[in-house]
Amino acid sequence: MGKSLKDKLSARIKVAKRSTIRELLKLLEQPDIISFAGGMPDPALFPVNLIKEACDHVLTNHSEFTLQYGSSEGYLPLRQELIKRIELKEKTTVSEDEIIVTVGSQQGLDLVAKILLNYGDIVIVEEPTYLGGLQAFRSYGGRFIGIPCDETGMQVELIEDKLKELGKHEIKRIKFVYVVPDFQNPGGRTLSLERRKKLIALAEKYDFLIVEDSPYKELRYRGEHKPSLFSLAPRGRVVMLCTFSKLFCPGFRLAYAIGDKDVIFQMVTGKQATDLCTPAFNQAVLSYVLKKNALDPHIEKLVSAYHVKQKCMLSSLDKYIPPLGMPSIEWTKPDGGLFLWMTMPEYIDTERMLPRAIENKIAYVMGADFFHDSSVRNCMRLNFSMSSVERIEEGIRRLSEVINAEK
Ligand SMILES: Cc1ncc(COP(=O)(O)O)c(C=O)c1O
């Protein structure tokens, strides 16, 4: 980079980190690589015919509004459909000024950070957490306090001890807790009901917000639905982000945020400076699909297809891992979502091992990327939605060879 550009760059972009996953994805276009790296839905499951029908309907009947600029809050008929859906699924009511349609939940994360964070403000995050969240918060100057996760998610009971280590002034700088409570990316874990309630009580006591990011909630393969923090908390305490990337298709970049109307108002203001509005055409297509009640049957298909893939990955892991003669290796067995999280002996550094994995035509995401301080080196995230069952088994076999060579 030329010196003159370096001098001009903002502090914001200087601290920003590129997503390793996005970088990896470029590499993984080679068809002989079996990739457990991305978090992408299986393209074979995209509802192409339904989308064709919806596009045709929208173009024939609503072209004058949907090919035009739209409102920053989102296309009203879609917001109305979403409100009905939220009422049904979350058993809570939301009004039209408590919802904004965003360009993916990634934009929701960006907007939340934009309206809440000043340089040096603190965000409490899970360890591990979604790296796109870290990216968004870091780019607005966020600092992090990490709270480790166990089988039932973020160990919420450790938060107060962490707060005791901070001075009063520092506690005031905590703006929000960021939590992915359902089949978390990357760990696959789900926050227990007891911890959800405890987290809300802490947020009330210390007056911080909760940003609940839940893209995988509806991809449940076993067990009971857990109420959202949004539905459990007093209104105004939680901003909830939901996306259609994993339930419909990521190419439409459609998601929404719900929260107190004052928060949503600020997010709308923030969005106006970013992109004016979410494409109305995409919103009208989704609106048609929801009105026709065609999304839920599609989600049922996704759930059964991904469940088969998850079972295949779990049984392949049982078969091949750990390689003979190696100490134990553990992995999560989530009730839903698209990821498993694998923890290896401490001497294995999954970042160091990655180039060899790629040479062996297998890819994963190294765990360090999901920690705000990159401190944990011996974990990896495995995605099972993109590969066929045959490739999943072969991929785990290759992975076992790569791990074995670390002995
Ligand atoms: C936890 C989490 N939040 C947000 C996103 C971003 O999703 P979107 O495609 O809606 O921007 C993802 C995508 O993988 C995710 O896993």
Side-chain angles (χ1 to χ4, degrees):
M1 186 195 312
K3 182 167 177 336
S4 75
L5 176 60
K6 209 169 181 179
D7 290 343
K8 290 182 183 66
L9 287 178
S10 66
R12 174 175 308 128
I13 202 69
K14 280 186 189 157
V15 296
K17 261 174 80 177
R18 281 239 4 200
S19 156
T20 337
I21 300 183
R22 306 251 106 225
E23 297 300 305
L24 259 178
L25 289 180
K26 290 184 206 158
L27 202 107
L28 302 179
E29 277 154 17
Q30 306 161 27
D32 54 341
I33 289 199
I34 298 178
S35 173
F36 300 143
M40 294 196 283
D42 183 347
L45 297 170
F46 289 150
V48 176
N49 287 334
L50 180 60
I51 293 174
K52 272 188 194 161
E53 175 191 321
C55 287
D56 191 41
H57 172 88
V58 171
L59 282 174
T60 309
N61 299 291
H62 305 291
S63 60
E64 71 280 27
F65 293 116
T66 59
L67 299 178
Q68 189 55 279
Y69 287 111
S71 81
S72 306
E73 288 82 354
Y75 183 63
L76 186 59
L78 175 62
R79 281 190 289 142
Q80 288 165 341
E81 285 302 319
L82 293 176
I83 287 168
K84 280 195 249 162
R85 197 162 196 274
I86 293 162
E87 213 166 306
L88 204 76
K89 305 261 171 193
E90 295 300 332
K91 314 271 179 284
T92 188
T93 52
V94 169
S95 60
E96 283 167 16
D97 53 4
E98 291 174 320
I99 182 165
I100 175 176
V101 180
T102 56
V103 177
S105 274
Q106 192 62 40
Q107 181 174 66
L109 292 169
D110 183 77
L111 292 176
V112 162
K114 190 178 196 178
I115 67 161
L116 295 175
L117 295 181
N118 286 316
Y119 200 82
D121 281 346
I122 299 172
V123 182
I124 298 179
V125 293
E126 296 162 298
E127 281 181 329
T129 187
Y130 170 55
L131 75 90
L134 293 175
Q135 271 190 309
F137 309 147
R138 199 176 269 132
S139 71
Y140 289 93
R143 285 184 290 148
F144 301 103
I145 292 179
I147 305 292
C149 291
D150 64 13
E151 278 321 297
T152 54
M154 182 192 254
Q155 297 181 51
V156 169
E157 51 291 349
L158 302 182
I159 293 180
E160 249 178 337
D161 283 344
K162 289 268 183 185
L163 297 185
K164 283 184 193 141
E165 292 165 17
L166 303 176
K168 254 193 189 147
H169 179 69
E170 285 285 275
I171 291 183
K172 281 213 178 98
R173 299 210 70 175
I174 300 175
K175 290 291 177 68
F176 58 88
V177 177
Y178 171 60
V179 61
V180 184
D182 306 288
F183 321 125
Q184 191 230 32
N185 177 6
R189 291 144 176 152
T190 294
L191 192 66
S192 66
L193 181 57
E194 200 189 336
R195 283 182 169 166
R196 286 172 198 237
K197 290 182 180 162
K198 171 99 183 133
L199 183 57
I200 293 165
L202 279 174
E204 290 276 300
K205 180 169 170 188
Y206 291 96
D207 192 23
F208 45 73
L209 295 176
I210 297 171
V211 176
E212 174 178 23
D213 183 10
S214 193
Y216 306 99
K217 191 176 186 121
E218 295 194 48
L219 298 177
R220 176 176 278 282
Y221 315 133
R222 287 174 290 277
E224 292 286 300
H225 165 91
K226 293 229 172 354
S228 60
L229 288 119
F230 180 84
S231 68
L232 293 168
R235 192 56 53 94
R237 189 55 64 193
V238 180
V239 182
M240 184 178 187
L241 310 178
C242 299
T243 175
F244 290 95
S245 285
K246 307 291 163 28
L247 305 177
F248 187 53
C249 59
F252 269 61
R253 310 300 301 125
L254 284 178
Y256 63 90
I258 47 179
D260 177 72
K261 67 177 178 15
D262 296 336
V263 172
I264 298 300
F265 179 89
Q266 299 299 340
M267 288 176 78
V268 170
T269 310
K271 183 172 166 66
Q272 286 174 353
T274 303
D275 64 358
L276 303 180
C277 58
T278 302
F281 182 78
N282 297 9
Q283 296 183 72
V285 168
L286 180 61
S287 175
Y288 172 88
V289 169
L290 291 176
K291 212 180 199 106
K292 201 178 159 191
N293 291 320
L295 188 65
D296 285 341
H298 175 64
I299 294 174
E300 276 172 32
K301 277 191 211 153
L302 296 180
V303 166
S304 43
Y306 291 150
H307 189 188
V308 169
K309 292 185 185 216
Q310 193 212 42
K311 282 196 281 196
C312 171
M313 185 169 269
L314 286 170
S315 62
S316 307
L317 285 165
D318 281 336
K319 186 165 167 190
Y320 293 107
I321 304 234
L324 225 65
M326 276 197 77
S328 88
I329 292 180
E330 291 175 354
W331 53 89
T332 54
K333 299 169 183 71
D335 288 338
L338 303 184
F339 307 105
L340 308 184
W341 180 252
M342 198 152 93
T343 307
M344 265 145 296
E346 296 252 338
Y347 66 85
I348 294 185
D349 179 328
T350 53
E351 181 170 4
R352 208 183 48 216
M353 191 170 80
L354 189 57
R356 249 186 348 88
I358 290 172
E359 258 171 50
N360 282 272
K361 307 287 179 200
I362 174 73
Y364 56 82
V365 186
M366 61 219 189
D369 277 355
F370 301 99
F371 290 82
H372 65 92
D373 54 4
S374 305
S375 57
V376 175
R377 316 291 309 169
N378 59 328
C379 298
M380 65 172 69
R381 187 190 77 176
L382 298 172
N383 161 267
F384 52 80
S385 54
M386 262 295 277
S387 312
S388 64
V389 286
E390 295 75 23
R391 281 168 71 90
I392 289 174
E393 169 150 13
E394 170 58 14
I396 296 293
R397 195 194 60 73
R398 288 184 199 172
L399 185 62
S400 159
E401 284 179 1
V402 174
I403 297 172
N404 197 29
E406 294 285 304
K407 269 202 294 212

